[in-house]
Amino acid sequence: MTLILAHRGYAAEYPENTLLAFKEAEKAGAEGLELDVQMTRDGELVVIHDEKVDRTTDGTGLVKDYSLKELKKLDARFKFEALPKKELIPTLDEVLEWLSGTKLVCNIELKNSIITYEGMEEKVINMVRAYDLSDRIIISSFNHYSIVHSYLLAPEIEIAPLLSEGLYMPWIYAQSIKAKGFHPHWRAAPDQIVRASLESGIEVRPYTVNKETELERLFKVDCSAIITDDPAKARRIREKINR
Ligand code: G3P
Ligand code: MG
């Protein structure tokens, strides 16, 4: 069965990358989450997509220039102002603590392509190990040096390269860096690529699949997982196809 991973949580209906969005994704029937990690000035791992806080909070400036205490003063509700209370930027620690009480899998995307966060891989791995979550975590990144670094530090934790464009035989590339799967943009995951990868034992988890036609196609081709902003919609479509 194709797993449904909620992109930044249930980002279609709740403020992305907040505990609220993660909890609602679980309620909506997602089997897993995708989240993005950046690092504060004082070296804390925080769950936020952009390098800057401007788009998703009421603050301005770079995450790396904030201490965790300062970052925790911001409101991350952004376009969901109608929500009754402030949502805070969660730390990775807070998310993993909650996650450990669920059965969800979690794709941690290291956002260290634009800014190089020194030591981010070690910190993520230490935290995953501390919560004993190694078998439920997939570490991905557009920075493939970073995921290979993670693999060398912690071969027990799965890694997956993010691919924004189509590669020639991406399953061979994945195997070459000891990844058991890869995460392509959905346009870079046509049926023949999905099939050839699965036949080679390499999993394919395309992002960010929100269109009904693409969800249907990827469920029909038995893709390993899809990463979507709308886990409830994906559940409905998957149920219709498997009926
Ligand atoms: O991890 C899949 C997807 O999240 C990659 O792109 O920009 O949404 O983090 P982005
Ligand atoms: Mg992401």
Side-chain angles (χ1 to χ4, degrees):
M1 184 182 69
T2 306
L3 298 184
I4 294 167
L5 308 184
H7 183 239
R8 311 180 195 174
Y10 193 161
E13 298 284 345
Y14 299 91
E16 65 179 57
N17 281 322
T18 61
L19 272 169
L20 175 65
F22 300 138
K23 289 177 181 171
E24 291 296 330
E26 190 202 20
K27 284 191 208 157
E31 282 90 20
L33 307 173
E34 185 269 358
L35 56 82
D36 308 287
V37 170
Q38 311 258 2
M39 212 155 91
T40 63
R41 188 177 77 224
D42 46 349
E44 299 288 340
L45 299 168
V46 283
V47 180
I48 179 166
H49 178 272
D50 300 358
E51 283 65 35
K52 283 182 161 187
V53 298
D54 301 49
R55 181 180 60 85
T56 57
T57 78
D58 55 353
T60 55
L62 293 164
V63 173
K64 77 169 181 60
D65 292 335
Y66 278 80
S67 69
L68 178 59
K69 199 171 164 203
E70 288 160 354
L71 214 57
K72 281 290 191 184
K73 294 193 182 125
L74 304 182
D75 186 353
R77 262 178 305 186
F78 73 119
K79 60 182 181 189
F80 299 90
E81 299 93 352
L83 287 168
K85 65 176 183 63
K86 217 168 151 171
E87 285 303 319
L88 306 186
I89 298 171
T91 59
L92 182 64
D93 195 292
E94 288 163 345
V95 177
L96 294 189
E97 186 185 7
W98 168 75
L99 191 96
S100 60
T102 72
K103 289 197 165 27
L104 297 174
V105 299
C106 182
N107 170 204
I108 300 175
E109 182 187 344
L110 308 181
K111 282 288 184 203
N112 51 4
S113 304
I114 297 172
I115 293 172
T116 307
Y117 292 111
E118 213 51 56
M120 179 182 251
E121 298 86 355
E122 287 89 336
K123 281 177 197 264
V124 169
I125 286 164
N126 289 343
M127 209 172 274
V128 169
R129 284 178 170 163
Y131 283 105
D132 199 17
L133 284 168
S134 296
D135 57 349
R136 283 203 265 149
I137 298 289
I138 302 160
I139 296 180
S140 70
S141 186
F142 286 106
N143 179 344
H144 299 180
Y145 286 95
S146 179
I147 54 169
V148 170
H149 184 189
S150 300
Y151 177 79
L152 295 174
L153 293 169
E156 79 278 16
I157 303 175
E158 198 177 330
I159 57 162
L162 275 159
L163 306 176
S164 56
E165 306 287 339
L167 275 191
Y168 181 67
M169 299 205 280
W171 58 94
I172 308 254
Y173 175 64
Q175 283 162 340
S176 77
I177 60 166
K178 304 270 194 288
K180 291 185 178 149
F182 62 96
H183 297 184
H185 186 277
W186 59 266
R187 279 193 216 93
D191 288 0
Q192 65 272 28
I193 294 286
V194 176
R195 284 201 196 97
S197 301
L198 296 178
E199 275 163 23
S200 300
I202 293 293
E203 304 215 340
V204 189
R205 306 181 195 96
Y207 73 90
T208 304
V209 195
N210 294 330
K211 278 188 185 176
E212 189 155 341
T213 48
E214 285 302 310
L215 284 163
E216 276 190 23
R217 177 179 74 77
L218 290 161
F219 288 136
K220 280 184 185 156
V221 73
D222 243 338
C223 208
S224 320
I226 52 96
I227 301 174
T228 180
D229 289 330
D230 194 338
K233 175 177 166 184
R235 275 293 290 233
R236 281 195 302 276
I237 294 172
R238 190 177 66 184
E239 273 154 31
K240 187 180 83 188
I241 284 169
N242 292 339
R243 217 180 299 142

